[in-house]
Amino acid sequence: MMQFLVDSLLRAGDLMLVTLGLSTVYAMVRFPNMAQTEYATIGAFLGLVLSGFALPLWLCVIMSALLTGVIAVVLHRFAFARLLRSSPVIAMIGSLAVAMIIRSGIQAVAGTRSERFDLPIDVPHQFMGAVITTTQIVILAVTALVVIAFLILLFKTNLGRSMRAVAAQPDLARACGISSGRVVDIIGFLGGAFAAIGGALLAIGSQVHFNLGQDLLLPVFAAAIVGGLGSPIGAIFGVLLLAIVETLVTNINFGPLAGETFLYVPLAYGPAAGFCLLVITLMFRPRGLFHSESKRV
């Protein structure tokens, strides 16, 4: 049971920051940015490049997050904001094109081989019957700290109140003197930074390749939609629920049902369970489990 919980948390950690950034950005700009997961790839590779200068690992992650956040703001100002003047659909298609350009550019520069940080071999620890490494503990801790810090910012600060006002009633927020452009820039920066941290943590925990963003695209969108696209709280619970379902399916012994002693679903089929959850959610809660939150962020 403990190993199941650990595996579920690790899977949630893989998706959490990217999904949180995607859902929060959607609350402001009202179009699904298909390039959001590519920011994770950018952050991972920037972290790898910076680590080549013998910088501390934590500094590499922070610097890659800052740089990726700036890239996200620049792309929004000079590409997505202009496309949004036509329609959200045009902006979504444009973001898909941008994602493909980013992926191709990274492939041209970094190649097709997987890369990883030069880290010492991590010895697993036994905890209440579960196996977990020090690196995995650090990854979960960093993810939790970033999520908690963002929630404090969102619900306990004046900036957070401005963010929620712009998301809920942009015209009224402007009438009250809130600079919606500034708020959108801040959220775009945070969304890019969160994705970069998530990508860097994925690279630290395993490895990174040019298709990282493409591999994250479907599960990240599934988790965001299940929770309620545009709701940060929904994104958190959507990721947790998706991770639990995926892990549960691959941990159940279906052998007795098939007349076998042991029969487990391969790990590669785990995401399919998440998409089943997505379909069920769309059937009964089309706007997501936290759709009321998505109205007011």
Side-chain angles (χ1 to χ4, degrees), residues 11-277:
R11 176 56 175 164
D14 291 342
L15 306 175
M16 183 66 73
L17 295 182
V18 184
T19 306
L20 183 61
L22 169 71
S23 198
T24 306
V25 169
Y26 178 87
M28 299 293 160
V29 299
R30 292 300 174 184
F31 87 94
N33 188 350
M34 309 293 281
Q36 189 72 31
T37 57
E38 297 301 328
Y39 298 155
T41 314
I42 293 175
F45 275 103
L46 283 176
L48 281 168
V49 171
L50 292 169
S51 67
F53 294 96
L55 297 174
L57 184 57
W58 61 269
L59 183 58
C60 295
V61 174
I62 292 175
M63 291 179 65
S64 70
L66 295 176
L67 291 171
T68 307
V70 172
I71 292 172
V73 173
V74 170
L75 284 175
H76 179 77
R77 281 191 176 186
F78 294 97
F80 305 140
R82 297 187 180 189
L83 293 172
L84 271 170
R85 295 171 189 169
S86 298
S87 73
V89 174
I90 296 297
M92 182 188 71
I93 295 172
S95 70
L96 179 60
V98 170
M100 295 174 67
I101 293 171
I102 293 173
R103 192 180 313 126
S104 299
I106 292 175
Q107 181 182 5
V109 174
T112 58
R113 294 181 58 185
S114 298
E115 303 287 345
R116 63 175 65 244
F117 283 89
D118 185 15
L119 297 173
I121 297 176
D122 202 357
V123 179
H125 305 288
Q126 292 282 342
F127 176 72
M128 297 179 64
V131 178
I132 188 170
T133 65
T134 302
T135 300
Q136 290 172 334
I137 294 173
V138 172
I139 289 172
L140 290 177
V142 171
T143 301
L145 287 174
V146 172
V147 171
I148 291 171
F150 176 70
L151 292 179
I152 292 173
L153 171 69
L154 188 61
F155 293 106
K156 298 295 183 181
T157 67
N158 290 331
L159 177 58
R161 282 186 281 273
S162 297
M163 292 176 182
R164 287 181 281 131
V166 171
Q169 296 289 341
D171 294 333
L172 182 59
R174 281 191 292 269
C176 294
I178 297 175
S179 174
S180 59
R182 172 176 168 270
V183 171
V184 169
D185 282 346
I186 292 173
I187 284 296
F189 176 84
L190 291 177
F194 288 170
I197 296 173
L201 293 178
L202 275 170
I204 292 171
S206 56
Q207 57 188 10
V208 62
H209 51 90
F210 75 97
N211 266 334
L212 173 65
Q214 187 176 27
D215 293 343
L216 287 173
L217 183 63
L218 292 180
V220 162
F221 267 87
I225 293 170
V226 167
L229 194 57
S231 167
I233 300 297
I236 295 170
F237 282 96
V239 168
L240 291 173
L241 185 57
L242 189 78
I244 290 172
V245 169
E246 288 186 4
T247 307
L248 181 63
V249 167
T250 57
N251 278 266
I252 293 178
N253 181 15
F254 293 96
L257 298 178
E260 302 286 343
T261 304
F262 297 103
L263 180 61
Y264 290 93
V265 175
L267 292 176
Y269 292 92
F275 297 133
C276 290
L277 173 65

